[in-house]
Amino acid sequence: MNPATETKLRRIERFSSLLRGVCAALTVPVGILALFITGAAWLSRNGHLAYLDQSIAMDDLSNAGRVLVSVLALASGAVVITALVQLRRLLGNYARREIFTADSARQLRNFGVSCMLWGILKVGWAFLPLATVSHGAQPVRLQGDTIMIGLALVLLSWFAEMAAELREENDLTI
């Protein structure tokens, strides 16, 4: 193998291993944060829940509003943890030099789907003030960036899957 290529592969291995550790380290705090938000929705009476430029006073939440906050918090935590797990697996493949493989393409696609789900949950968080607060109109700020990034990753995974098939076909050619 070309020495320059070998050097690049070693960098990919090191960087992938480092990022893999970051993904693993972030998993626990994300889960704790989701549980904290859920607990705060039920236990806090004087606090505020803030998302982007919106804020909801916990006193204003009905029981249905608290259930909605809990469901959104737990679903968000689950989606982010799933995304981190998928990214960790993808980086594990890269660290083992399994870059253009069907498994790497699948992990990339799963990560893209997780991003799209996170984008959908962001829409839910944006509409949360309208669904939970009875007084006054609240502005809604929608962002579709995460959905578009997820869609782009799913499309890239399709290309990666085709590249893996081509690589396997070329490996079989004498």
Side-chain angles (χ1 to χ4, degrees), residues 11 32 50 52 79 100 112 123 174:
R11 283 187 197 150
I32 291 171
L52 295 175
V79 166
F100 291 112
V123 171
I174 297 177

Side-chain angles (χ1 to χ4, degrees), residues 26-152:
L26 287 175
T27 302
V28 172
V30 167
I32 291 171
L33 182 62
L35 292 173
F36 177 78
I37 292 170
T38 301
W42 290 97
L43 301 174
S44 177
R45 299 290 180 222
N46 297 326
H48 282 52
L49 176 67
Y51 179 74
L52 295 175
D53 55 354
Q54 303 172 30
S55 179
I56 301 170
M58 292 296 183
D59 321 10
D60 294 341
L61 289 177
S62 65
N63 283 340
R66 293 177 194 283
V67 168
L68 186 57
V69 168
S70 298
V71 167
L72 279 172
L74 293 174
S76 296
V79 166
V80 172
I81 287 171
T82 300
L84 287 169
V85 167
Q86 297 304 324
L87 187 56
R88 186 173 185 274
R89 288 178 182 167
L90 177 64
L91 292 167
N93 287 349
Y94 289 175
R96 290 185 304 275
R97 297 184 178 194
E98 298 172 8
I99 298 169
F100 291 112
T101 64
D103 188 50
S104 292
R106 183 175 47 259
Q107 298 305 330
L108 183 62
R109 181 175 47 251
N110 291 343
F111 180 67
V113 169
S114 295
C115 287
M116 288 190 292
L117 289 173
W118 172 242
I120 292 167
L121 285 169
K122 283 173 62 175
V123 171
W125 282 107
F127 280 104
L128 184 66
L130 292 176
T132 57
V133 179
S134 59
H135 61 282
Q138 297 281 327
V140 175
R141 183 175 160 197
L142 294 177
Q143 296 178 331
D145 55 345
T146 311
I147 296 172
M148 296 308 295
I149 290 169
L151 182 60

